Amino acid sequence: QTQFTCDHQCNTPEKWNHANNACAGKSQSPINVVTRKALKDERLTPFQFTNYQQIFKGTIKNNGHSVQVGVPHVSTISGGGLPTTYKAVQFHLHWGTNGGPGSEHTIDGEQYPMELHIVHMKQDYTDLTTALSDPEGVAVLGFFYERSNSGNRKYEPIINALQKIKATNANTSFSEVSLTQLIPSEQNLTSFYRYKGSLTTPGCTEAVIWTLFENPIPLSMEQLKAFSDLKFHDGKPMVGTFRPVQPLNGRQVFRSGS
Ligand code: SG4
Ligand code: ZN
Protein backbone atom coordinates (compact mmCIF):
# COMPACT_ATOMS: atom_id res chain seq x y z
CA GLN A 1 0.00 0.00 0.00
CA THR A 2 1.34 3.40 -0.95
CA GLN A 3 1.61 6.00 1.71
CA PHE A 4 -0.63 8.97 0.97
CA THR A 5 0.16 12.20 2.71
CA CYS A 6 -1.67 15.45 2.52
CA ASP A 7 -2.27 18.47 4.67
CA HIS A 8 -5.82 18.53 5.95
CA GLN A 9 -8.14 19.15 3.00
CA CYS A 10 -5.66 17.91 0.43
CA ASN A 11 -8.02 20.11 -0.73
CA THR A 12 -10.12 17.06 -1.52
CA PRO A 13 -11.74 15.29 1.44
CA GLU A 14 -12.70 12.48 -0.97
CA LYS A 15 -9.07 11.34 -0.75
CA TRP A 16 -9.05 11.05 3.01
CA ASN A 17 -9.96 7.36 2.94
CA HIS A 18 -6.57 6.80 1.33
CA ALA A 19 -4.81 9.25 3.59
CA ASN A 20 -6.04 7.57 6.72
CA ASN A 21 -7.93 4.30 7.03
CA ALA A 22 -9.94 5.65 9.93
CA CYS A 23 -11.60 8.08 7.52
CA ALA A 24 -13.22 5.08 5.85
CA GLY A 25 -14.83 3.98 9.15
CA LYS A 26 -18.51 3.23 9.67
CA SER A 27 -19.35 6.07 12.11
CA GLN A 28 -18.03 9.12 10.30
CA SER A 29 -18.99 12.79 10.49
CA PRO A 30 -20.55 15.01 9.31
CA ILE A 31 -23.97 13.60 8.41
CA ASN A 32 -27.24 14.80 6.98
CA VAL A 33 -29.91 14.78 9.70
CA VAL A 34 -33.28 13.57 8.46
CA THR A 35 -35.50 15.23 11.05
CA ARG A 36 -38.49 12.89 10.63
CA LYS A 37 -36.22 9.94 11.42
CA ALA A 38 -34.70 11.53 14.54
CA LEU A 39 -35.97 9.71 17.62
CA LYS A 40 -37.13 11.91 20.48
CA ASP A 41 -35.20 11.00 23.64
CA GLU A 42 -36.40 12.39 26.98
CA ARG A 43 -32.92 11.84 28.44
CA LEU A 44 -31.62 14.64 26.21
CA THR A 45 -32.38 17.32 28.77
CA PRO A 46 -31.07 20.92 28.48
CA PHE A 47 -27.34 21.47 28.96
CA GLN A 48 -25.73 23.11 31.96
CA PHE A 49 -23.15 25.60 30.74
CA THR A 50 -20.64 26.50 33.45
CA ASN A 51 -18.24 29.44 33.08
CA TYR A 52 -19.36 29.88 29.50
CA GLN A 53 -19.81 33.56 30.29
CA GLN A 54 -16.19 33.85 31.43
CA ILE A 55 -14.46 36.56 29.44
CA PHE A 56 -11.07 35.64 28.04
CA LYS A 57 -8.46 37.25 25.82
CA GLY A 58 -7.97 34.78 23.02
CA THR A 59 -5.48 34.06 20.30
CA ILE A 60 -7.10 33.42 16.96
CA LYS A 61 -5.07 31.51 14.42
CA ASN A 62 -5.27 30.70 10.72
CA ASN A 63 -4.08 27.09 11.04
CA GLY A 64 -4.11 26.43 7.31
CA HIS A 65 -7.49 24.72 7.30
CA SER A 66 -9.65 26.81 9.60
CA VAL A 67 -9.62 29.63 12.07
CA GLN A 68 -9.15 28.34 15.54
CA VAL A 69 -9.34 29.84 18.99
CA GLY A 70 -7.89 28.10 22.04
CA VAL A 71 -10.15 28.38 25.05
CA PRO A 72 -9.00 28.30 28.69
CA HIS A 73 -10.06 24.91 30.11
CA VAL A 74 -12.51 26.43 32.58
CA SER A 75 -15.79 26.39 30.64
CA THR A 76 -17.69 23.13 31.01
CA ILE A 77 -20.85 21.47 29.80
CA SER A 78 -22.93 18.76 31.46
CA GLY A 79 -26.50 17.50 31.16
CA GLY A 80 -27.77 17.32 27.60
CA GLY A 81 -27.65 13.52 27.88
CA LEU A 82 -23.84 13.55 28.14
CA PRO A 83 -22.33 10.76 30.26
CA THR A 84 -20.22 13.19 32.31
CA THR A 85 -18.83 16.74 32.41
CA TYR A 86 -16.77 17.94 29.44
CA LYS A 87 -14.52 21.00 29.30
CA ALA A 88 -14.05 23.33 26.35
CA VAL A 89 -10.70 23.13 24.57
CA GLN A 90 -11.03 25.16 21.37
CA PHE A 91 -13.48 26.37 18.81
CA HIS A 92 -13.22 26.65 15.04
CA LEU A 93 -15.49 27.13 12.06
CA HIS A 94 -16.34 25.63 8.68
CA TRP A 95 -17.63 27.79 5.83
CA GLY A 96 -18.32 28.01 2.12
CA THR A 97 -17.44 30.55 -0.56
CA ASN A 98 -18.37 34.19 0.05
CA GLY A 99 -21.30 33.31 2.30
CA GLY A 100 -22.58 30.43 0.16
CA PRO A 101 -23.33 26.94 1.57
CA GLY A 102 -20.58 25.90 3.98
CA SER A 103 -21.77 23.95 7.03
CA GLU A 104 -20.51 20.40 7.52
CA HIS A 105 -23.74 18.91 8.85
CA THR A 106 -26.93 19.39 6.89
CA ILE A 107 -30.51 19.28 8.16
CA ASP A 108 -32.98 17.65 5.75
CA GLY A 109 -30.47 18.37 3.03
CA GLU A 110 -30.11 22.06 3.87
CA GLN A 111 -26.53 23.26 4.10
CA TYR A 112 -26.13 26.41 6.19
CA PRO A 113 -23.55 29.11 5.36
CA MET A 114 -21.26 28.27 8.29
CA GLU A 115 -20.92 25.96 11.30
CA LEU A 116 -19.24 26.59 14.65
CA HIS A 117 -17.63 23.69 16.51
CA ILE A 118 -16.86 24.08 20.17
CA VAL A 119 -14.63 21.10 20.95
CA HIS A 120 -14.79 19.66 24.50
CA MET A 121 -13.08 16.73 26.16
CA LYS A 122 -14.00 14.72 29.23
CA GLN A 123 -13.11 16.72 32.31
CA ASP A 124 -10.45 14.31 33.56
CA TYR A 125 -8.30 14.41 30.43
CA THR A 126 -5.56 16.98 29.95
CA ASP A 127 -5.09 16.70 26.19
CA LEU A 128 -7.21 15.90 23.14
CA THR A 129 -4.97 13.06 21.99
CA THR A 130 -5.72 11.09 25.15
CA ALA A 131 -9.41 12.01 24.99
CA LEU A 132 -9.58 10.68 21.42
CA SER A 133 -8.60 7.20 22.60
CA ASP A 134 -11.87 7.06 24.58
CA PRO A 135 -14.92 6.34 22.35
CA GLU A 136 -16.83 9.01 24.31
CA GLY A 137 -13.82 11.19 25.07
CA VAL A 138 -14.80 14.21 22.98
CA ALA A 139 -18.06 16.18 22.77
CA VAL A 140 -18.42 18.75 20.00
CA LEU A 141 -21.21 21.31 20.11
CA GLY A 142 -22.21 22.34 16.58
CA PHE A 143 -24.04 25.56 15.81
CA PHE A 144 -25.33 26.70 12.44
CA TYR A 145 -25.34 30.25 11.11
CA GLU A 146 -28.00 32.02 9.11
CA ARG A 147 -27.83 35.20 7.07
CA SER A 148 -29.47 38.16 8.72
CA ASN A 149 -29.92 41.70 7.48
CA SER A 150 -28.36 43.28 10.52
CA GLY A 151 -24.85 42.34 11.58
CA ASN A 152 -24.12 40.50 14.83
CA ARG A 153 -22.23 42.92 17.06
CA LYS A 154 -21.10 40.14 19.36
CA TYR A 155 -18.98 38.71 16.54
CA GLU A 156 -17.07 41.92 15.87
CA PRO A 157 -13.93 40.93 17.84
CA ILE A 158 -13.64 37.72 15.79
CA ILE A 159 -14.54 39.23 12.40
CA ASN A 160 -12.15 42.16 12.89
CA ALA A 161 -9.33 39.78 13.81
CA LEU A 162 -9.74 37.86 10.53
CA GLN A 163 -8.20 40.76 8.60
CA LYS A 164 -4.97 40.24 10.56
CA ILE A 165 -4.69 36.49 10.02
CA LYS A 166 -5.25 36.16 6.28
CA ALA A 167 -2.01 34.22 5.86
CA THR A 168 -1.66 30.62 7.01
CA ASN A 169 0.00 30.35 10.44
CA ALA A 170 -0.73 34.00 11.22
CA ASN A 171 -2.27 34.62 14.60
CA THR A 172 -3.41 37.61 16.59
CA SER A 173 -4.89 38.24 19.97
CA PHE A 174 -8.35 39.72 20.10
CA SER A 175 -10.24 41.73 22.63
CA GLU A 176 -12.32 40.14 25.29
CA VAL A 177 -14.86 37.50 24.30
CA SER A 178 -16.85 34.81 26.05
CA LEU A 179 -18.31 31.61 24.64
CA THR A 180 -21.75 32.82 25.73
CA GLN A 181 -21.63 35.79 23.38
CA LEU A 182 -20.95 33.56 20.38
CA ILE A 183 -23.94 31.23 20.76
CA PRO A 184 -27.72 31.64 21.12
CA SER A 185 -29.04 32.37 24.61
CA GLU A 186 -29.50 29.36 26.87
CA GLN A 187 -33.30 29.20 26.54
CA ASN A 188 -32.81 28.83 22.79
CA LEU A 189 -30.51 25.83 23.17
CA THR A 190 -32.98 23.23 24.37
CA SER A 191 -33.67 21.81 20.87
CA PHE A 192 -30.82 19.75 19.52
CA TYR A 193 -29.84 16.58 17.66
CA ARG A 194 -27.48 13.94 19.01
CA TYR A 195 -25.50 11.16 17.38
CA LYS A 196 -22.15 9.37 17.71
CA GLY A 197 -19.55 10.18 15.10
CA SER A 198 -16.00 11.25 14.36
CA LEU A 199 -13.67 14.15 13.85
CA THR A 200 -14.43 15.59 10.42
CA THR A 201 -10.72 15.82 9.49
CA PRO A 202 -7.92 13.21 9.50
CA GLY A 203 -7.44 11.11 11.64
CA CYS A 204 -11.29 11.01 11.53
CA THR A 205 -11.22 9.37 15.00
CA GLU A 206 -14.60 7.90 16.01
CA ALA A 207 -14.64 9.33 19.52
CA VAL A 208 -17.08 12.22 19.26
CA ILE A 209 -20.50 12.73 20.82
CA TRP A 210 -22.07 15.24 18.44
CA THR A 211 -24.70 17.81 19.39
CA LEU A 212 -26.26 19.99 16.69
CA PHE A 213 -28.40 22.86 17.93
CA GLU A 214 -31.50 23.70 15.95
CA ASN A 215 -31.46 27.49 16.43
CA PRO A 216 -28.95 29.21 14.16
CA ILE A 217 -26.71 32.17 14.95
CA PRO A 218 -27.39 35.30 12.84
CA LEU A 219 -24.56 36.95 10.88
CA SER A 220 -24.76 39.50 8.08
CA MET A 221 -23.66 38.56 4.57
CA GLU A 222 -20.69 40.89 5.00
CA GLN A 223 -19.64 39.12 8.20
CA LEU A 224 -19.96 35.71 6.57
CA LYS A 225 -17.95 36.85 3.56
CA ALA A 226 -15.07 38.00 5.77
CA PHE A 227 -14.07 34.36 6.33
CA SER A 228 -13.40 33.94 2.60
CA ASP A 229 -10.61 36.55 2.87
CA LEU A 230 -8.42 33.98 4.64
CA LYS A 231 -5.83 32.07 2.62
CA PHE A 232 -4.73 28.44 2.48
CA HIS A 233 -1.04 27.59 2.58
CA ASP A 234 -0.80 27.91 -1.20
CA GLY A 235 -2.26 31.41 -1.12
CA LYS A 236 -5.62 30.33 -2.55
CA PRO A 237 -8.76 31.61 -0.80
CA MET A 238 -9.67 29.51 2.23
CA VAL A 239 -13.18 28.56 1.14
CA GLY A 240 -15.20 25.36 1.25
CA THR A 241 -13.66 24.16 4.50
CA PHE A 242 -16.26 21.47 5.06
CA ARG A 243 -16.19 17.71 4.64
CA PRO A 244 -19.12 16.29 2.63
CA VAL A 245 -21.75 14.35 4.56
CA GLN A 246 -20.93 10.71 5.32
CA PRO A 247 -23.17 7.60 5.36
CA LEU A 248 -25.13 6.92 8.55
CA ASN A 249 -24.54 3.16 8.28
CA GLY A 250 -27.52 2.40 10.49
CA ARG A 251 -26.76 4.93 13.22
CA GLN A 252 -29.73 6.44 15.03
CA VAL A 253 -30.00 10.19 15.39
CA PHE A 254 -31.85 11.41 18.48
CA ARG A 255 -33.59 14.69 19.21
CA SER A 256 -33.89 16.43 22.55
CA GLY A 257 -36.97 16.12 24.72
CA SER A 258 -37.94 19.80 24.44
C1 SG4 B 1 -10.52 21.70 12.30
O1 SG4 B 1 -9.60 21.38 11.29
C2 SG4 B 1 -9.77 22.19 13.54
O2 SG4 B 1 -8.91 23.24 13.21
C3 SG4 B 1 -9.00 21.05 14.19
O3 SG4 B 1 -8.37 21.48 15.38
C4 SG4 B 1 -10.00 19.95 14.53
O4 SG4 B 1 -9.31 18.86 15.14
C5 SG4 B 1 -10.65 19.46 13.27
O5 SG4 B 1 -11.31 20.55 12.63
C6 SG4 B 1 -11.67 18.38 13.53
O6 SG4 B 1 -12.60 18.82 14.49
O7 SG4 B 1 -14.79 19.30 15.32
N1 SG4 B 1 -14.50 19.40 12.84
S1 SG4 B 1 -14.12 18.67 14.20
O8 SG4 B 1 -14.41 17.25 14.07
O9 SG4 B 1 -10.21 19.28 17.19
C7 SG4 B 1 -9.48 18.63 16.48
C8 SG4 B 1 -7.05 21.19 15.49
O10 SG4 B 1 -6.36 20.91 14.53
C9 SG4 B 1 -8.71 17.48 16.99
C10 SG4 B 1 -6.50 21.27 16.85
ZN1 ZN C 1 -15.08 21.24 12.98
Side-chain angles (χ1 to χ4, degrees), residues 157-182:
I158 305 260
I159 308 276
N160 293 339
L162 295 178
Q163 298 308 315
K164 299 178 188 160
I165 56 161
K166 285 184 183 175
T168 290
N169 289 327
N171 66 79
T172 186
S173 57
F174 57 87
S175 56
E176 308 178 337
V177 291
S178 65
L179 293 174
T180 306
Q181 84 188 61
L182 301 178

PDB file of all heavy atoms in Angstrom, residues 157-182:
ATOM      1  N   PRO A 157     -15.342  41.223  17.507  1.00  0.00           N
ATOM      2  CA  PRO A 157     -13.933  40.932  17.836  1.00  0.00           C
ATOM      3  C   PRO A 157     -13.334  39.862  16.924  1.00  0.00           C
ATOM      4  O   PRO A 157     -12.189  39.974  16.479  1.00  0.00           O
ATOM      5  CB  PRO A 157     -13.993  40.436  19.285  1.00  0.00           C
ATOM      6  CG  PRO A 157     -15.264  40.965  19.836  1.00  0.00           C
ATOM      7  CD  PRO A 157     -16.225  41.073  18.677  1.00  0.00           C
ATOM      8  N   ILE A 158     -14.111  38.826  16.631  1.00  0.00           N
ATOM      9  CA  ILE A 158     -13.639  37.721  15.786  1.00  0.00           C
ATOM     10  C   ILE A 158     -13.504  38.186  14.337  1.00  0.00           C
ATOM     11  O   ILE A 158     -12.467  37.965  13.698  1.00  0.00           O
ATOM     12  CB  ILE A 158     -14.649  36.543  15.840  1.00  0.00           C
ATOM     13  CG1 ILE A 158     -14.895  36.128  17.295  1.00  0.00           C
ATOM     14  CG2 ILE A 158     -14.234  35.400  14.921  1.00  0.00           C
ATOM     15  CD1 ILE A 158     -14.152  34.946  17.773  1.00  0.00           C
ATOM     16  N   ILE A 159     -14.546  38.817  13.816  1.00  0.00           N
ATOM     17  CA  ILE A 159     -14.545  39.228  12.403  1.00  0.00           C
ATOM     18  C   ILE A 159     -13.405  40.233  12.151  1.00  0.00           C
ATOM     19  O   ILE A 159     -12.700  40.126  11.143  1.00  0.00           O
ATOM     20  CB  ILE A 159     -15.906  39.854  12.011  1.00  0.00           C
ATOM     21  CG1 ILE A 159     -17.076  38.942  12.394  1.00  0.00           C
ATOM     22  CG2 ILE A 159     -15.921  40.271  10.528  1.00  0.00           C
ATOM     23  CD1 ILE A 159     -17.432  37.860  11.441  1.00  0.00           C
ATOM     24  N   ASN A 160     -13.227  41.171  13.064  1.00  0.00           N
ATOM     25  CA  ASN A 160     -12.152  42.155  12.885  1.00  0.00           C
ATOM     26  C   ASN A 160     -10.777  41.495  12.888  1.00  0.00           C
ATOM     27  O   ASN A 160      -9.885  41.899  12.154  1.00  0.00           O
ATOM     28  CB  ASN A 160     -12.213  43.232  13.977  1.00  0.00           C
ATOM     29  CG  ASN A 160     -13.453  44.100  13.836  1.00  0.00           C
ATOM     30  OD1 ASN A 160     -14.043  44.180  12.756  1.00  0.00           O
ATOM     31  ND2 ASN A 160     -13.857  44.743  14.921  1.00  0.00           N
ATOM     32  N   ALA A 161     -10.622  40.467  13.719  1.00  0.00           N
ATOM     33  CA  ALA A 161      -9.329  39.783  13.814  1.00  0.00           C
ATOM     34  C   ALA A 161      -8.978  39.055  12.517  1.00  0.00           C
ATOM     35  O   ALA A 161      -7.804  38.878  12.197  1.00  0.00           O
ATOM     36  CB  ALA A 161      -9.338  38.803  14.980  1.00  0.00           C
ATOM     37  N   LEU A 162      -9.996  38.642  11.754  1.00  0.00           N
ATOM     38  CA  LEU A 162      -9.737  37.861  10.531  1.00  0.00           C
ATOM     39  C   LEU A 162      -8.829  38.614   9.564  1.00  0.00           C
ATOM     40  O   LEU A 162      -7.994  38.017   8.887  1.00  0.00           O
ATOM     41  CB  LEU A 162     -11.053  37.523   9.812  1.00  0.00           C
ATOM     42  CG  LEU A 162     -12.032  36.604  10.553  1.00  0.00           C
ATOM     43  CD1 LEU A 162     -13.290  36.405   9.725  1.00  0.00           C
ATOM     44  CD2 LEU A 162     -11.385  35.271  10.884  1.00  0.00           C
ATOM     45  N   GLN A 163      -8.996  39.947   9.526  1.00  0.00           N
ATOM     46  CA  GLN A 163      -8.204  40.761   8.597  1.00  0.00           C
ATOM     47  C   GLN A 163      -6.702  40.684   8.911  1.00  0.00           C
ATOM     48  O   GLN A 163      -5.882  40.945   8.040  1.00  0.00           O
ATOM     49  CB  GLN A 163      -8.667  42.224   8.637  1.00  0.00           C
ATOM     50  CG  GLN A 163     -10.116  42.409   8.201  1.00  0.00           C
ATOM     51  CD  GLN A 163     -10.418  41.760   6.858  1.00  0.00           C
ATOM     52  OE1 GLN A 163      -9.656  41.893   5.916  1.00  0.00           O
ATOM     53  NE2 GLN A 163     -11.532  41.019   6.778  1.00  0.00           N
ATOM     54  N   LYS A 164      -6.378  40.311  10.147  1.00  0.00           N
ATOM     55  CA  LYS A 164      -4.969  40.243  10.559  1.00  0.00           C
ATOM     56  C   LYS A 164      -4.369  38.847  10.420  1.00  0.00           C
ATOM     57  O   LYS A 164      -3.186  38.653  10.667  1.00  0.00           O
ATOM     58  CB  LYS A 164      -4.838  40.690  12.019  1.00  0.00           C
ATOM     59  CG  LYS A 164      -5.285  42.118  12.252  1.00  0.00           C
ATOM     60  CD  LYS A 164      -5.172  42.474  13.718  1.00  0.00           C
ATOM     61  CE  LYS A 164      -5.791  43.836  13.981  1.00  0.00           C
ATOM     62  NZ  LYS A 164      -6.136  43.991  15.417  1.00  0.00           N
ATOM     63  N   ILE A 165      -5.193  37.874  10.093  1.00  0.00           N
ATOM     64  CA  ILE A 165      -4.689  36.490  10.019  1.00  0.00           C
ATOM     65  C   ILE A 165      -5.011  35.862   8.666  1.00  0.00           C
ATOM     66  O   ILE A 165      -5.309  34.675   8.581  1.00  0.00           O
ATOM     67  CB  ILE A 165      -5.240  35.620  11.169  1.00  0.00           C
ATOM     68  CG1 ILE A 165      -6.776  35.627  11.205  1.00  0.00           C
ATOM     69  CG2 ILE A 165      -4.681  36.062  12.503  1.00  0.00           C
ATOM     70  CD1 ILE A 165      -7.360  34.458  11.989  1.00  0.00           C
ATOM     71  N   LYS A 166      -4.931  36.682   7.618  1.00  0.00           N
ATOM     72  CA  LYS A 166      -5.250  36.161   6.278  1.00  0.00           C
ATOM     73  C   LYS A 166      -4.280  35.063   5.868  1.00  0.00           C
ATOM     74  O   LYS A 166      -4.657  34.125   5.185  1.00  0.00           O
ATOM     75  CB  LYS A 166      -5.220  37.302   5.264  1.00  0.00           C
ATOM     76  CG  LYS A 166      -6.429  38.217   5.363  1.00  0.00           C
ATOM     77  CD  LYS A 166      -6.416  39.283   4.279  1.00  0.00           C
ATOM     78  CE  LYS A 166      -7.587  40.232   4.444  1.00  0.00           C
ATOM     79  NZ  LYS A 166      -7.520  41.340   3.460  1.00  0.00           N
ATOM     80  N   ALA A 167      -3.015  35.198   6.264  1.00  0.00           N
ATOM     81  CA  ALA A 167      -2.006  34.216   5.858  1.00  0.00           C
ATOM     82  C   ALA A 167      -2.004  33.017   6.797  1.00  0.00           C
ATOM     83  O   ALA A 167      -2.197  33.154   8.009  1.00  0.00           O
ATOM     84  CB  ALA A 167      -0.626  34.858   5.851  1.00  0.00           C
ATOM     85  N   THR A 168      -1.770  31.835   6.215  1.00  0.00           N
ATOM     86  CA  THR A 168      -1.660  30.615   7.007  1.00  0.00           C
ATOM     87  C   THR A 168      -0.558  30.759   8.054  1.00  0.00           C
ATOM     88  O   THR A 168       0.513  31.275   7.757  1.00  0.00           O
ATOM     89  CB  THR A 168      -1.400  29.422   6.075  1.00  0.00           C
ATOM     90  OG1 THR A 168      -2.601  29.178   5.342  1.00  0.00           O
ATOM     91  CG2 THR A 168      -1.041  28.162   6.842  1.00  0.00           C
ATOM     92  N   ASN A 169      -0.864  30.312   9.244  1.00  0.00           N
ATOM     93  CA  ASN A 169      -0.005  30.354  10.438  1.00  0.00           C
ATOM     94  C   ASN A 169       0.022  31.714  11.129  1.00  0.00           C
ATOM     95  O   ASN A 169       0.637  31.851  12.185  1.00  0.00           O
ATOM     96  CB  ASN A 169       1.429  29.902  10.147  1.00  0.00           C
ATOM     97  CG  ASN A 169       1.481  28.411   9.903  1.00  0.00           C
ATOM     98  OD1 ASN A 169       0.700  27.663  10.495  1.00  0.00           O
ATOM     99  ND2 ASN A 169       2.365  27.987   9.025  1.00  0.00           N
ATOM    100  N   ALA A 170      -0.644  32.713  10.541  1.00  0.00           N
ATOM    101  CA  ALA A 170      -0.728  34.004  11.224  1.00  0.00           C
ATOM    102  C   ALA A 170      -1.665  33.875  12.426  1.00  0.00           C
ATOM    103  O   ALA A 170      -2.620  33.110  12.406  1.00  0.00           O
ATOM    104  CB  ALA A 170      -1.251  35.069  10.272  1.00  0.00           C
ATOM    105  N   ASN A 171      -1.343  34.583  13.477  1.00  0.00           N
ATOM    106  CA  ASN A 171      -2.271  34.622  14.601  1.00  0.00           C
ATOM    107  C   ASN A 171      -2.263  36.011  15.206  1.00  0.00           C
ATOM    108  O   ASN A 171      -1.342  36.786  15.024  1.00  0.00           O
ATOM    109  CB  ASN A 171      -1.945  33.556  15.640  1.00  0.00           C
ATOM    110  CG  ASN A 171      -0.635  33.803  16.322  1.00  0.00           C
ATOM    111  OD1 ASN A 171      -0.531  34.624  17.232  1.00  0.00           O
ATOM    112  ND2 ASN A 171       0.397  33.099  15.873  1.00  0.00           N
ATOM    113  N   THR A 172      -3.310  36.314  15.932  1.00  0.00           N
ATOM    114  CA  THR A 172      -3.407  37.610  16.591  1.00  0.00           C
ATOM    115  C   THR A 172      -4.246  37.435  17.845  1.00  0.00           C
ATOM    116  O   THR A 172      -5.041  36.500  17.937  1.00  0.00           O
ATOM    117  CB  THR A 172      -4.022  38.671  15.645  1.00  0.00           C
ATOM    118  OG1 THR A 172      -3.974  39.943  16.270  1.00  0.00           O
ATOM    119  CG2 THR A 172      -5.471  38.354  15.304  1.00  0.00           C
ATOM    120  N   SER A 173      -4.025  38.311  18.788  1.00  0.00           N
ATOM    121  CA  SER A 173      -4.891  38.244  19.967  1.00  0.00           C
ATOM    122  C   SER A 173      -6.073  39.172  19.712  1.00  0.00           C
ATOM    123  O   SER A 173      -5.978  40.121  18.941  1.00  0.00           O
ATOM    124  CB  SER A 173      -4.134  38.670  21.206  1.00  0.00           C
ATOM    125  OG  SER A 173      -3.623  39.957  21.025  1.00  0.00           O
ATOM    126  N   PHE A 174      -7.198  38.860  20.302  1.00  0.00           N
ATOM    127  CA  PHE A 174      -8.347  39.715  20.103  1.00  0.00           C
ATOM    128  C   PHE A 174      -8.911  40.128  21.448  1.00  0.00           C
ATOM    129  O   PHE A 174      -8.644  39.497  22.469  1.00  0.00           O
ATOM    130  CB  PHE A 174      -9.406  39.068  19.213  1.00  0.00           C
ATOM    131  CG  PHE A 174      -9.895  37.750  19.721  1.00  0.00           C
ATOM    132  CD1 PHE A 174     -10.934  37.667  20.618  1.00  0.00           C
ATOM    133  CD2 PHE A 174      -9.283  36.583  19.273  1.00  0.00           C
ATOM    134  CE1 PHE A 174     -11.373  36.449  21.081  1.00  0.00           C
ATOM    135  CE2 PHE A 174      -9.723  35.359  19.744  1.00  0.00           C
ATOM    136  CZ  PHE A 174     -10.759  35.298  20.650  1.00  0.00           C
ATOM    137  N   SER A 175      -9.701  41.167  21.396  1.00  0.00           N
ATOM    138  CA  SER A 175     -10.240  41.728  22.634  1.00  0.00           C
ATOM    139  C   SER A 175     -11.178  40.723  23.293  1.00  0.00           C
ATOM    140  O   SER A 175     -11.446  39.669  22.756  1.00  0.00           O
ATOM    141  CB  SER A 175     -10.962  43.026  22.332  1.00  0.00           C
ATOM    142  OG  SER A 175     -11.954  42.772  21.373  1.00  0.00           O
ATOM    143  N   GLU A 176     -11.660  41.087  24.422  1.00  0.00           N
ATOM    144  CA  GLU A 176     -12.323  40.137  25.293  1.00  0.00           C
ATOM    145  C   GLU A 176     -13.590  39.527  24.688  1.00  0.00           C
ATOM    146  O   GLU A 176     -14.454  40.235  24.204  1.00  0.00           O
ATOM    147  CB  GLU A 176     -12.630  40.868  26.594  1.00  0.00           C
ATOM    148  CG  GLU A 176     -11.347  41.513  27.104  1.00  0.00           C
ATOM    149  CD  GLU A 176     -11.522  42.310  28.364  1.00  0.00           C
ATOM    150  OE1 GLU A 176     -12.660  42.750  28.631  1.00  0.00           O
ATOM    151  OE2 GLU A 176     -10.535  42.493  29.071  1.00  0.00           O
ATOM    152  N   VAL A 177     -13.644  38.204  24.717  1.00  0.00           N
ATOM    153  CA  VAL A 177     -14.859  37.500  24.301  1.00  0.00           C
ATOM    154  C   VAL A 177     -15.197  36.420  25.313  1.00  0.00           C
ATOM    155  O   VAL A 177     -14.365  36.003  26.111  1.00  0.00           O
ATOM    156  CB  VAL A 177     -14.719  36.811  22.917  1.00  0.00           C
ATOM    157  CG1 VAL A 177     -14.628  37.803  21.793  1.00  0.00           C
ATOM    158  CG2 VAL A 177     -13.565  35.850  22.903  1.00  0.00           C
ATOM    159  N   SER A 178     -16.432  35.966  25.270  1.00  0.00           N
ATOM    160  CA  SER A 178     -16.849  34.809  26.053  1.00  0.00           C
ATOM    161  C   SER A 178     -17.529  33.844  25.095  1.00  0.00           C
ATOM    162  O   SER A 178     -17.977  34.247  24.012  1.00  0.00           O
ATOM    163  CB  SER A 178     -17.834  35.231  27.138  1.00  0.00           C
ATOM    164  OG  SER A 178     -19.020  35.706  26.536  1.00  0.00           O
ATOM    165  N   LEU A 179     -17.594  32.579  25.481  1.00  0.00           N
ATOM    166  CA  LEU A 179     -18.306  31.610  24.637  1.00  0.00           C
ATOM    167  C   LEU A 179     -19.792  31.975  24.573  1.00  0.00           C
ATOM    168  O   LEU A 179     -20.423  31.846  23.528  1.00  0.00           O
ATOM    169  CB  LEU A 179     -18.107  30.194  25.181  1.00  0.00           C
ATOM    170  CG  LEU A 179     -16.676  29.653  25.078  1.00  0.00           C
ATOM    171  CD1 LEU A 179     -16.556  28.307  25.772  1.00  0.00           C
ATOM    172  CD2 LEU A 179     -16.247  29.543  23.612  1.00  0.00           C
ATOM    173  N   THR A 180     -20.330  32.458  25.682  1.00  0.00           N
ATOM    174  CA  THR A 180     -21.754  32.825  25.731  1.00  0.00           C
ATOM    175  C   THR A 180     -22.130  33.794  24.617  1.00  0.00           C
ATOM    176  O   THR A 180     -23.185  33.670  24.016  1.00  0.00           O
ATOM    177  CB  THR A 180     -22.087  33.484  27.089  1.00  0.00           C
ATOM    178  OG1 THR A 180     -21.658  32.593  28.108  1.00  0.00           O
ATOM    179  CG2 THR A 180     -23.571  33.746  27.242  1.00  0.00           C
ATOM    180  N   GLN A 181     -21.255  34.765  24.355  1.00  0.00           N
ATOM    181  CA  GLN A 181     -21.628  35.789  23.383  1.00  0.00           C
ATOM    182  C   GLN A 181     -21.628  35.272  21.942  1.00  0.00           C
ATOM    183  O   GLN A 181     -22.177  35.909  21.061  1.00  0.00           O
ATOM    184  CB  GLN A 181     -20.727  37.023  23.517  1.00  0.00           C
ATOM    185  CG  GLN A 181     -19.410  36.948  22.795  1.00  0.00           C
ATOM    186  CD  GLN A 181     -18.500  38.118  23.130  1.00  0.00           C
ATOM    187  OE1 GLN A 181     -18.116  38.332  24.274  1.00  0.00           O
ATOM    188  NE2 GLN A 181     -18.168  38.904  22.122  1.00  0.00           N
ATOM    189  N   LEU A 182     -21.037  34.099  21.734  1.00  0.00           N
ATOM    190  CA  LEU A 182     -20.950  33.556  20.376  1.00  0.00           C
ATOM    191  C   LEU A 182     -22.106  32.629  20.022  1.00  0.00           C
ATOM    192  O   LEU A 182     -22.276  32.248  18.863  1.00  0.00           O
ATOM    193  CB  LEU A 182     -19.628  32.795  20.209  1.00  0.00           C
ATOM    194  CG  LEU A 182     -18.357  33.611  20.446  1.00  0.00           C
ATOM    195  CD1 LEU A 182     -17.132  32.723  20.292  1.00  0.00           C
ATOM    196  CD2 LEU A 182     -18.281  34.800  19.479  1.00  0.00           C
TER     197      LEU A 182
END
